[in-house]
Amino acid sequence: MLLAFDYGTKKIGVASGNALLGSASPLPALPCKNVQPDWDKVTALIEEWQPEVLVVGLPLNMDGSESELCQRARKFARRLQGRFGKPVWMVDERLSTREARERTGIHHADPKVDSMAAVVIAEGYLGGSEPLAP
């Protein structure tokens, strides 16, 4: 069991993943306040799902370089690791939002797209994408 996160400054998409089945399902997105995650909601989610591993998408630019959002996502990943003591990995999430929009048919800002992007991130991890340290 894993939880995957599509980190954003306004909301964080979330998905649960099952390594045995190699699949993932979207969960409700988590709100952010002043670009900060609602840690009480993150804690409740982790207590409810009891994941063995946490996966955070790394929003690299198309040329592979890192943006400011990458640094924020890395900070979020390190905080997850520090707060919950679980293994945390990052995976390249380039084009995950595009794929999430195709899967959902939603082409505007919507929390369902963020959580579907987390599904794409989880599936990438489960499918053998190179995991990166936070």
Side-chain angles (χ1 to χ4, degrees):
M1 165 61 71
L2 68 85
L3 285 179
F5 299 91
D6 178 36
Y7 177 80
T9 57
K10 295 181 181 175
K11 56 193 168 303
I12 300 169
V14 185
S16 64
N18 185 313
L20 264 42
L21 299 175
S23 65
S25 301
L27 298 172
L30 301 174
C32 292
K33 186 174 184 179
N34 299 324
V35 305
Q36 293 296 316
D38 182 333
W39 287 106
D40 290 339
K41 290 187 180 193
V42 174
T43 299
L45 192 65
I46 289 174
E47 287 174 355
E48 177 183 351
W49 288 90
Q50 294 294 308
E52 296 164 11
V53 87
L54 305 172
V55 180
V56 178
L58 184 63
L60 296 167
N61 292 319
M62 290 307 293
D63 66 1
S65 63
E66 291 203 13
S67 64
E68 180 184 335
L69 193 55
C70 283
Q71 297 308 312
R72 290 180 181 272
R74 285 185 185 280
K75 183 176 180 179
F76 174 69
R78 288 190 302 269
R79 285 181 147 179
L80 284 172
Q81 197 167 38
R83 284 176 181 255
F84 303 106
K86 296 188 178 286
V88 177
W89 293 102
M90 301 193 80
V91 295
D92 181 348
E93 69 159 77
R94 281 179 280 190
L95 301 177
S96 64
T97 300
R98 180 186 207 175
E99 185 172 339
R101 286 188 174 132
E102 289 174 8
R103 289 186 188 190
T104 62
I106 300 170
H107 297 283
H108 59 276
D110 187 300
K112 291 178 185 170
V113 173
D114 297 301
S115 288
M116 186 56 71
V119 167
V120 174
I121 291 164
E123 290 173 351
Y125 176 82
L126 293 169
S129 288
E130 181 74 29
L132 307 165

